[in-house]
Amino acid sequence: GQNIDQPTEMTATEGAIVQINCTYQTSGFNGLFWYQQHAGEAPTFLSYNVLDGLEEKGRFSSFLSRSKGYSYLLLKELQMKDSASYLCAVSNSNYQLIWGAGTKLIIKP
Amino acid sequence: GAVVSQHPSRVICKSGTSVKIECRSLDFQATTMFWYRQFPKQSLMLMATSNEGSKATYEQGVEKDKFLINHASLTLSTLTVTSAHPEDSSFYICSARDIASGKGEQYFGPGTRLTVT
């Protein structure tokens, strides 16, 4: 089967750094996506990795290891507005997105 | 950037009536659009994949006669919830894949909140 695993919930402090992990098993691989979703809103695109390594975009970075079926999203200098759910999704051989259940990130002052 | 619109953003309807939701890609062409449903505090659930010019592919457990999907052009897909019931109340979100992009990234519409009374 195909599945994506990520923690259900994480808590971090404003100004700190947090790493959200994602492991996956899919039929084929055409890239891994991270999306941010605030409560009551649709997801918004954060990052895309198709090759191994780290992709940095401002305060957010995403890492991929295809051999390990593993990715993480790193958020630096956390702000209260970063409180949201973070969704990991993998594009399989049919370019269909397989979604994780999402990680709810709670930021405390 | 790629923009996807959905209309309406909110709709309240009576039990037994039908509701149509439109999903449009505004600045790109999408041969494939996806319809998701999300209940409160739960993850996205893919309902169906909408392919331009052909029949939609429904996920297991989704009734194709209840959730009618039409993808008549490269920029428009519609979802019609027929004979809606209170249990159909949910947040419906569409996404579209840009055919010009090699990533397979999906761009999401803002969602439609359906309440069936």
Side-chain angles (χ1 to χ4, degrees):
Chain A
Q2 305 185 97
N3 64 281
I4 310 286
D5 290 314
Q6 50 181 133
T8 304
E9 187 174 296
M10 298 182 71
T11 302
T13 304
E14 190 177 15
I17 299 173
V18 70
Q19 177 174 311
I20 303 174
N21 296 325
C22 170
T23 58
Y24 63 89
Q25 285 182 308
T26 57
S27 54
F29 180 83
N30 278 306
L32 185 144
F33 298 86
W34 284 96
Y35 285 82
Q36 180 191 59
Q37 186 179 24
H38 285 101
E41 299 179 10
T44 55
F45 170 77
L46 286 180
S47 69
Y48 171 75
N49 294 69
V50 67
L51 300 177
D52 290 350
L54 188 68
E55 294 280 341
E56 296 185 77
K57 192 186 291 185
R59 294 190 298 116
F60 294 4
S61 302
S62 56
F63 171 83
L64 174 67
S65 168
R66 287 172 297 172
S67 62
K68 295 182 179 178
Y70 167 72
S71 172
Y72 67 72
L73 179 69
L74 191 72
L75 294 78
K76 303 176 184 176
E77 301 169 20
L78 286 170
Q79 302 175 10
M80 297 304 293
K81 67 178 182 179
D82 297 329
S83 292
S85 287
Y86 291 85
L87 310 174
C88 174
V90 173
S91 178
N92 67 8
S93 55
N94 295 323
Y95 291 97
Q96 180 183 40
L97 281 186
I98 310 300
W99 292 89
T103 298
K104 182 179 180 181
L105 177 63
I106 300 169
I107 310 295
K108 294 185 176 179
Chain B
V3 179
V4 176
S5 70
Q6 258 183 266
H7 178 78
S9 57
R10 288 180 180 273
V11 58
I12 301 172
C13 70
K14 292 187 176 180
S15 188
T17 61
S18 295
V19 173
K20 179 186 281 189
I21 303 170
E22 292 187 349
C23 178
R24 293 181 185 273
S25 57
L26 298 184
D27 51 0
F28 66 98
Q29 293 183 325
T31 52
T32 305
M33 291 184 173
F34 304 87
W35 287 97
Y36 294 87
R37 183 166 53 181
Q38 188 173 38
F39 293 105
K41 298 184 179 180
Q42 293 187 23
S43 61
L44 289 172
M45 190 181 79
L46 179 66
M47 299 175 66
T49 301
S50 167
N51 299 296
E52 187 267 336
S54 63
K55 291 183 179 180
T57 304
Y58 290 81
E59 295 300 301
Q60 193 172 12
V62 178
E63 300 173 57
K64 61 181 181 181
D65 294 330
K66 180 172 179 63
F67 298 99
L68 302 178
I69 291 172
N70 183 279
H71 192 160
S73 76
L74 286 173
T75 58
L76 173 64
S77 176
T78 60
L79 168 69
T80 301
V81 183
T82 63
S83 187
H85 292 289
E87 57 264 32
D88 297 323
S89 298
S90 187
F91 190 42
Y92 292 85
I93 312 171
C94 74
S95 69
R97 191 163 69 208
D98 184 350
I99 61 175
S101 168
K103 293 180 183 179
E105 173 187 349
Q106 293 182 24
Y107 300 95
F108 284 87
T112 296
R113 192 162 301 281
L114 170 64
T115 303
V116 185
T117 60

